[in-house]
Amino acid sequence: MLTLIGSAHTTRDDAAITDVVDWHLEPAHQAVWTNVNRPRWAGGTRLVAKMAGAKVLALTGVLVDGRTREDDPIEVDGRTLRFRYDVRWDARPPSWVAVEDLGEPFDKATRTARFIAFDEFRRAYRALHAEDPPRQDVDHWAV
């Protein structure tokens, strides 16, 4: 799955990107938020995070489960994002990757999370981590 973090005002510079990544890696913020309840999301789904505004890929991870938490809304660009989905983020990549370097579907504008083919996810994972991704469900079902 391709999802968004950051905001439309995030800039493509090391300090801004590091701030967003650090915020998401804090134990209390290991999640993605949306303003739409997504009942089709499933635990164990691998995801890659595209940073809104900066147009870079910055993190990969796995949804802890598909359940929505509504007890922790956040405000982004004047919108309240009420639905939180917990994520177990992979180790921090050595650096971020500009979406134009990867081409479709990453370089296309998007306003919401969407499913992508595993081959596309693998390409993004390799660009960020320089290795093959773990199996889709290996970490999720081992817990």
Side-chain angles (χ1 to χ4, degrees), residues 89-101:
W89 295 111
D90 297 328
R92 176 195 296 272
S95 64
W96 42 268
V97 176
V99 295
E100 59 264 21
D101 293 345

Side-chain angles (χ1 to χ4, degrees), residues 82-117:
R82 301 191 182 284
F83 304 107
R84 171 188 168 133
Y85 296 86
D86 292 334
V87 173
R88 186 170 48 250
W89 295 111
D90 297 328
R92 176 195 296 272
S95 64
W96 42 268
V97 176
V99 295
E100 59 264 21
D101 293 345
L102 286 178
E104 290 189 37
F106 307 105
D107 61 351
K108 300 300 179 201
T110 183
R111 294 185 176 270
T112 184
R114 60 192 172 98
F115 289 101
I116 58 175

Side-chain angles (χ1 to χ4, degrees), residues 28-33 67-69 72 82-86:
H29 302 148
Q30 294 213 10
V32 293
W33 283 260
R67 289 178 290 181
T68 307
R69 286 179 41 191
D72 191 18
R82 301 191 182 284
F83 304 107
R84 171 188 168 133
Y85 296 86
D86 292 334

Side-chain angles (χ1 to χ4, degrees), residues 47-61:
L47 59 90
V48 58
K50 177 177 175 178
M51 195 170 297
K55 298 181 182 173
V56 299
L57 302 185
L59 288 169
T60 60

Side-chain angles (χ1 to χ4, degrees), residues 25 46 59-62 88-93 121 125 129 134 139:
L25 290 175
R46 298 285 302 169
L59 288 169
T60 60
V62 63
R88 186 170 48 250
W89 295 111
D90 297 328
R92 176 195 296 272
F121 171 81
Y125 189 94
H129 298 283
D139 292 328

